[in-house]
Amino acid sequence: MTEYCWLLADSAWWGQDTWWGRCALPLHDGLPAGPPRAREQVPASARATYLPGTLLPGLHDAHVHSGLVELREVRAGGIARVDDLGSSPSRIAELLAHEDSSLPVCRFAGAMLTAPGGYPSRRGWAQPDLYRQVASERDARLAVAEQRDLGANSIKITLHTRAGPVLGDDVLRVLVDTAHDNDLYVVAHTEGADTFSTALLHGVDRLAHVPWTERIGETALAAARDMIWISTLDIHGYGHRTAELECAQDNLRRFREHGGTVRYGTDLGNGPLPLGVNAREVAALQQAGMSVDDVLLAMTDPDLSAPPCVIPEGLDSDPTALATALSTAQVVRLTDEEHPGKRRAHD
């Protein structure tokens, strides 16, 4: 029989299994083994640790660049899992070389795949192996295989018409088809006129950013409702209102009205962004019409592959307090000393 360690908390937000009251969360090997339960379900002999505050599934940033930030600080700032959407293979290999509990759980796309001379090859911050230039259909198959063999769970492509050439239709078709044949989803950076429609036409699964350079029409939004859009709203002003931010929020609001899914992501490594939960990103999502539950669903790890998080002072349904409360999140890490043989007096 599996032996669980239990976390006892004042409350928990867990999607459909939300407990606004005393509850217990089973853990196995540091990961949630199911939703929170009533305290009465914890065996009297079980190991249990009390944590004041509100438990959440692991908070997840769906767009980071680990070669441009210190991931230990990201985890210390409350993020339990990250999706790396463009880093050099050498950096990825370094992360995978050894287990390190001070790092967030990391899934990655590997190098960005772009046209010869395309974005981000002309950017000063782009290390030479952060991107991979793809010149032909044959090269497209090889590029996908390279990322797959590295351990990638996704493929990142760039379609940026304002920063150089973009992938042609034939190459793009092969990239997407080859990725899907290898059970990899495709994330696209789309920037500039018609890049969204190109991504939609070729069956791209996710957008690395909510579109901000053009207003997306209602017909296209309806056709895109099976996509996932990663938010990254704060990069369009870093706390200041801009036309780009307003365009992105308008597209996001209407995309969700058509049934589209939005995931919280910040593009860490791009400008002055906090290493951890970004309260400005949370506030920008709320300004785009997302409720407390909507934001938490966008931020939490649905497959329970990361440790849970806790809000030490607690969380409630007050939308005005959400961004500040989430910025205090901590990833739960229990050492052997914190696994007592019996319940603590706080129970």
Side-chain angles (χ1 to χ4, degrees), residues 48-63:
T49 296
Y50 170 73
L51 290 178
T54 302
L55 289 172
L56 304 168
L59 294 175
H60 173 202
D61 190 329
H63 189 156

Side-chain angles (χ1 to χ4, degrees), residues 20 54 56 277-280 282-284 286-287 290-293 295-296 299 311-329:
W20 295 120
T54 302
L56 304 168
V277 176
N278 185 342
R280 298 191 306 252
V282 172
Q286 292 182 281
Q287 291 162 6
M290 293 180 67
S291 69
V292 170
D293 282 341
V295 172
L296 292 173
M299 294 185 72
I311 309 296
E313 297 300 319
L315 184 69
D316 59 32
S317 57
D318 178 6
T320 65
L322 180 65
T324 299
L326 286 172
S327 68
T328 70

Side-chain angles (χ1 to χ4, degrees), residues 118-119 123 158-166 189-192 195 212:
Y119 177 84
R123 294 291 196 260
T158 68
L159 300 170
H160 188 342
T161 56
R162 304 190 296 185
V166 297
H189 172 117
T190 59
E191 184 171 353
T195 53
W212 77 98

Side-chain angles (χ1 to χ4, degrees), residues 174-194:
V174 172
L175 282 172
V176 174
D177 288 349
T178 305
H180 289 167
D181 288 344
N182 285 275
D183 295 322
L184 306 174
Y185 64 84
V186 180
V187 185
H189 172 117
T190 59
E191 184 171 353
D194 299 325

Side-chain angles (χ1 to χ4, degrees), residues 160-339:
H160 188 342
T161 56
R162 304 190 296 185
V166 297
L167 295 160
D169 284 342
D170 290 342
V171 172
L172 186 54
R173 172 182 51 80
V174 172
L175 282 172
V176 174
D177 288 349
T178 305
H180 289 167
D181 288 344
N182 285 275
D183 295 322
L184 306 174
Y185 64 84
V186 180
V187 185
H189 172 117
T190 59
E191 184 171 353
D194 299 325
T195 53
F196 169 77
S197 59
T198 298
L200 179 61
L201 175 66
H202 287 282
V204 164
D205 305 289
R206 300 189 181 197
L207 297 187
H209 311 273
V210 169
W212 77 98
T213 58
E214 58 181 334
R215 189 177 192 272
I216 308 301
E218 299 299 330
T219 301
L221 289 176
R225 60 180 173 271
D226 291 332
M227 271 185 171
I228 293 175
W229 289 7
I230 302 169
S231 60
T232 71
L233 299 174
D234 189 38
I235 62 171
H236 308 305
Y238 305 104
H240 300 284
R241 299 298 298 175
T242 64
E244 292 80 7
L245 173 60
E246 291 175 0
C247 179
Q249 288 178 316
D250 173 63
N251 284 331
L252 184 154
R253 181 183 297 106
R254 293 181 300 111
F255 175 62
R256 293 188 65 253
E257 289 172 354
H258 285 280
T261 299
V262 175
R263 298 291 292 170
Y264 167 93
T266 62
D267 199 7
L268 271 177
N270 181 1
L273 298 170
L275 297 181
V277 176
N278 185 342
R280 298 191 306 252
E281 188 74 30
V282 172
L285 289 169
Q286 292 182 281
Q287 291 162 6
M290 293 180 67
S291 69
V292 170
D293 282 341
D294 294 335
V295 172
L296 292 173
L297 285 169
M299 294 185 72
T300 48
D301 192 4
D303 60 7
L304 304 181
S305 62
C309 290
V310 64
I311 309 296
E313 297 300 319
L315 184 69
D316 59 32
S317 57
D318 178 6
T320 65
L322 180 65
T324 299
L326 286 172
S327 68
T328 70
Q330 300 173 6
V331 181
V332 174
R333 179 184 179 187
L334 297 180
T335 65
D336 289 340
E337 289 75 18
E338 292 171 308
H339 283 223

